[in-house]
Amino acid sequence: MVVCGDDGLAHRLAAELRGVYREQVTLVVPPSGRRVRQPVVGRARAASAALRDMVNAAVNRTGNSDATGGTGGTGGTGGTGRELEATEPTEDVLADAGVERATALALVYDDDETNIRAALTARRLNPRLQLVLRLYNRRLGQHIEELLDQSAALASGGDPGSGSGSGSTTVLSDADTAAPALAATALVGTSKVVETDGLLLRAVERNPPRPGEVADPGLCTLALLSATSNDPAGADGSEDSGENGPQLLPDAAAVEAATGRGTVALEQVSYSGPPLPAGRAGVPAFGELFSRRLRWSLAGLAACVVALAVALMVVTGDHPLHATYVTLLDLFSINEPAHNADIGRQILQLLSGFVGLLLLPVLLAAVLEALGTFRSASTLRKPPRGLSGHVVLLGLGKIGTRVLTRLREMDIPVVCVEADPEARGMATARRLRVPVVLGDVTQEGVLEAAKIHRAHSLLALTSVDTTNLEAVLYARSVRSRLRVVLRLYDDDFATAVYRTLRAAHPRALTRSRSVTHLAAPSFAGAMMGRQILGAIPVERRVLLFAAVEVAGHPQLEGKTVGEAFRAGAWRVLALEVSDGERAAGADSPSEGARESRLVWELPDTYVLRGSDRVVLAATRRGLAELLGRRARRGVDV
């Protein structure tokens, strides 16, 4: 395996391949002086040294200094490999890294152009190479994936549409991989979300059932939470937590035997509610075109017209429609003067003309105000008065933009805070008509402008760890029970910060997430040659959702769904079928083929055939074993 990158994702990915899959890895990174970020371990030490005083001060205030002990683990350091230093992944560098003999290559540079250029070179050097690219531009990634697959097929005589096996290409984004978990952590009742073929799967954390209650397992029970999950100084499922840690993919006996422990259940949901406002973002609602004072003026003029029409109908005895028509003619001064009419008709005509004079400035004000409203529709909105129960999102970079889109898809009110008016996500915020507060979050009054005191949760997703931590600490001083989720670069440091914040505020929900920790398993799984649909974090561990061809896997082919289930390793969740096809044993219409072409809740007696394609949940170690690359005994995943 060859991994090329310039930030912590490359180091985390290399550690994942060595420790979990026991692969021989060649890591290509820039020289030490030119790296965008330091390696994971080195940066963890630097961050710990810079913020040690801040963390220790918080611990001393709570009297729980032992809460910061331990580390979150990095997935092991086993396996073999070497490290090369190169400024750019040129043809000579890739050749020195052994791309011509490699099984897979991951290009995880922070620049899309660098990854694409290196991918084209690598495909020419080795047409049968498994390529994994990190691209932020999803539309471009689809075209590049098709192009590279077609090139590999022409060179090896294979099928360009296979999507797996030798010579296939997988385009992933660390932002897309981590965004569902970051967004869902801030929501009530939704802790983890992953999308599979247009369906939204939600992993919900449930409290232990009370005596006499029967827990709803949903589609299935994914995990048992750690026994210390309710302890403020608990380990939050760190990988060295032993029997008290979380149990991934437990069997029915383990679920029944576990008492007093929460569970993570999988549910299938679909998008509901009103459509997104993106399609009509530039057209404000009718009520927003005119101010309240102008609306009252227009209503008053309309009442005057109605009153004049009624009076004319009484005086002249005309039909109501004709009386209204004559009143409007007098109002716009296009009717003949009532010289020969009676005195009542003349007075009404004079009053109508006077009302018409009042109508002219009101109409002009309405036109100018409507033009100003349309003009300001493309500008940033301010948080409305009385807003509460919203999510405050700090940072509109590539991660924050993806999280913002996810929150709006779930119809969650959001207020963004961004210091750079030219940030990547500002256009998305305008398109979705999301309120944005421009300013440095570390300055006084910025979070107050975002109405943090009435917010439901805070998502600190800037690229600076100290900014995220400072914002969270200040927000907790304003509202101690605020739900906070902060993005930290290094996983070990995220674990230490999490334990400290939870010890200092035991009644408030705190989550610290490392993007590399969430994204690396998906990239590693894609390098092993299978399509990774998503990853769901369970405390400090990760569950992977993958689409796997049954053919070639003796653990699946020819066995029933019940026999194929391996507790703690993998579990078959759904079967992909063709239109109109039904799985054997699916008796009810709800179990038949749907538009998503996925059949859920398969009976345990269904026999998996070689032509089947299934969606399964697996641990990292289980996926490695399923791919025929069993991890050695003693590796805790």
Side-chain angles (χ1 to χ4, degrees):
M1 301 289 178
V2 180
V3 177
C4 302
D6 57 358
D7 60 5
L9 179 58
H11 294 269
R12 176 77 192 194
L13 178 56
E16 189 86 11
L17 292 171
R18 293 169 181 166
V20 177
Y21 299 98
R22 292 298 187 182
E23 291 292 334
Q24 182 178 356
V25 181
T26 298
L27 179 62
V28 180
V29 293
S32 301
R34 298 188 179 183
R35 292 176 185 172
V36 178
R37 297 243 188 197
Q38 300 177 24
V40 173
V41 177
R43 193 174 188 279
R45 294 172 180 171
S48 299
L51 299 175
R52 184 179 297 129
D53 294 340
M54 183 183 299
V55 173
N56 290 337
V59 175
N60 292 333
R61 286 196 300 269
T62 59
N64 293 313
S65 59
D66 59 339
T68 58
T71 61
T74 59
T77 59
T80 59
R82 61 193 180 104
E83 182 173 322
L84 299 179
E85 291 189 351
T87 305
E88 293 183 359
T90 61
E91 182 175 351
D92 294 337
V93 172
L94 293 177
D96 292 341
V99 168
E100 298 177 354
R101 305 178 307 275
T103 303
L105 168 66
L107 298 167
V108 293
Y109 289 95
D110 194 51
D111 180 54
D112 288 0
E113 182 179 352
T114 301
N115 293 328
I116 294 174
R117 185 170 59 250
L120 296 174
T121 303
R123 179 61 77 208
R124 179 168 50 83
L125 294 175
N126 187 354
R128 301 183 62 83
L129 185 67
Q130 175 77 20
L131 277 176
V132 178
L133 276 72
R134 170 191 185 183
L135 296 182
Y136 180 80
N137 191 329
R138 289 178 290 184
R139 179 176 299 180
L140 176 61
Q142 294 176 358
H143 296 305
I144 292 297
E145 185 174 339
E146 295 174 359
L147 175 64
L148 293 174
D149 282 347
Q150 184 177 2
S151 175
L154 293 176
S156 60
D159 182 10
S162 62
S164 62
S166 298
S168 65
T169 306
T170 305
V171 176
L172 298 175
S173 168
D174 56 340
D176 286 332
T177 304
L182 290 171
T185 306
L187 306 180
V188 174
T190 304
S191 55
K192 294 98 184 175
V193 173
V194 66
E195 200 168 2
T196 61
D197 290 348
L199 295 180
L200 191 66
L201 300 179
R202 177 177 59 182
V204 182
E205 293 185 7
R206 294 176 176 173
N207 296 325
R210 298 177 180 178
E213 293 183 352
V214 178
D216 181 14
L219 292 176
C220 68
T221 299
L222 292 178
L224 296 174
L225 298 179
S226 61
T228 60
S229 59
N230 295 324
D231 182 9
D236 187 34
S238 60
E239 296 183 2
D240 57 352
S241 51
E243 297 180 355
N244 292 329
Q247 298 182 21
L248 303 184
L249 301 176
D251 54 15
V255 174
E256 294 179 359
T259 57
R261 299 177 64 171
T263 61
V264 177
L266 183 67
E267 295 180 354
Q268 175 185 344
V269 297
S270 59
Y271 292 122
S272 61
L276 292 177
R280 53 183 182 89
V283 181
F286 178 78
E288 299 178 4
L289 284 175
F290 311 115
S291 63
R292 183 178 181 183
R293 182 178 301 176
L294 186 58
R295 291 198 299 267
W296 277 109
S297 300
L298 292 174
L301 289 175
C304 291
V305 172
V306 173
L308 291 173
V310 172
L312 183 61
M313 181 183 63
V314 173
V315 171
T316 61
D318 287 345
H319 189 271
L321 292 179
H322 186 266
T324 303
Y325 173 71
V326 173
T327 301
L328 292 176
L329 292 179
D330 294 335
L331 187 71
F332 296 114
S333 300
I334 57 178
N335 198 10
E336 295 182 359
H339 294 295
N340 301 323
D342 55 9
I343 187 66
R345 174 72 181 87
Q346 293 177 350
I347 293 175
L348 290 176
Q349 190 177 54
L350 292 175
L351 291 176
S352 299
F354 180 72
V355 173
L357 293 177
L358 297 177
L359 180 63
L360 291 178
V362 175
L363 291 178
L364 180 60
V367 172
L368 295 178
E369 194 167 286
L371 289 176
T373 302
F374 275 103
R375 184 179 303 172
S376 61
S378 60
T379 61
L380 297 176
R381 301 183 61 195
K382 296 182 179 180
R385 295 181 179 179
L387 179 65
S388 62
H390 58 287
V391 175
V392 177
L393 175 63
L394 309 183
L396 286 176
K398 64 178 185 178
I399 302 295
T401 303
R402 292 288 192 256
V403 173
L404 173 62
T405 304
R406 289 280 181 171
L407 291 173
R408 292 304 300 130
E409 286 176 352
M410 291 181 280
D411 202 24
I412 303 299
V414 184
V415 174
C416 299
V417 179
E418 176 57 52
D420 183 11
E422 302 296 330
R424 188 193 298 263
M426 297 299 287
T428 302
R430 292 189 182 96
R431 178 174 58 86
L432 299 178
R433 306 192 68 205
V434 174
V436 178
V437 177
L438 286 176
D440 188 354
V441 70
T442 60
Q443 296 179 354
E444 186 176 357
V446 175
L447 284 178
E448 283 79 358
K451 305 187 184 300
I452 192 65
H453 57 285
R454 293 203 298 265
H456 171 268
S457 56
L458 170 67
L459 277 167
L461 304 179
T462 69
S463 58
V464 182
D465 290 357
T466 54
T467 300
N468 294 333
L469 185 57
E470 182 178 353
V472 167
L473 293 176
Y474 179 75
R476 277 286 169 81
S477 67
V478 176
R479 187 177 179 184
S480 59
R481 293 195 177 186
L482 180 69
R483 181 193 296 253
V484 297
V485 180
L486 67 158
R487 167 197 175 189
L488 297 176
Y489 181 80
D490 180 68
D491 186 49
D492 294 342
F493 183 61
T495 303
V497 170
Y498 164 79
R499 293 174 181 173
T500 303
L501 289 177
R502 196 167 76 165
H505 303 276
R507 296 186 178 182
L509 181 60
T510 303
R511 289 293 182 265
S512 59
R513 295 291 181 236
S514 168
V515 174
T516 59
H517 174 82
L518 298 175
S522 297
F523 281 83
M527 291 185 70
M528 306 307 295
R530 292 298 181 267
Q531 180 186 5
I532 302 298
L533 302 176
I536 285 181
V538 179
E539 296 181 353
R540 306 304 300 179
R541 298 187 180 182
V542 174
L543 267 178
L544 300 178
F545 288 80
V548 176
E549 301 286 348
V550 174
H553 297 287
Q555 303 94 332
L556 303 177
E557 189 173 4
K559 296 186 177 181
T560 64
V561 173
E563 294 172 347
F565 170 53
R566 181 78 60 84
W570 63 77
R571 179 171 187 167
V572 176
L573 299 177
L575 172 69
E576 182 175 342
V577 297
S578 303
D579 294 337
E581 183 181 354
R582 289 179 180 271
D587 299 327
S588 64
S590 61
E591 294 175 329
R594 304 175 183 174
E595 295 181 0
S596 64
R597 301 178 61 199
L598 289 177
V599 178
W600 298 89
E601 300 184 66
L602 288 171
D604 291 340
T605 56
Y606 175 72
V607 180
L608 299 174
R609 300 168 295 181
S611 59
D612 290 339
R613 187 170 184 263
V614 296
V615 175
L616 52 84
T619 63
R620 292 177 290 181
R621 182 179 182 180
L623 185 61
E625 180 180 348
L626 190 63
L627 296 178
R629 306 170 189 265
R630 180 185 298 271
R632 291 200 295 264
R633 183 176 300 178
V635 177
D636 185 16
V637 182

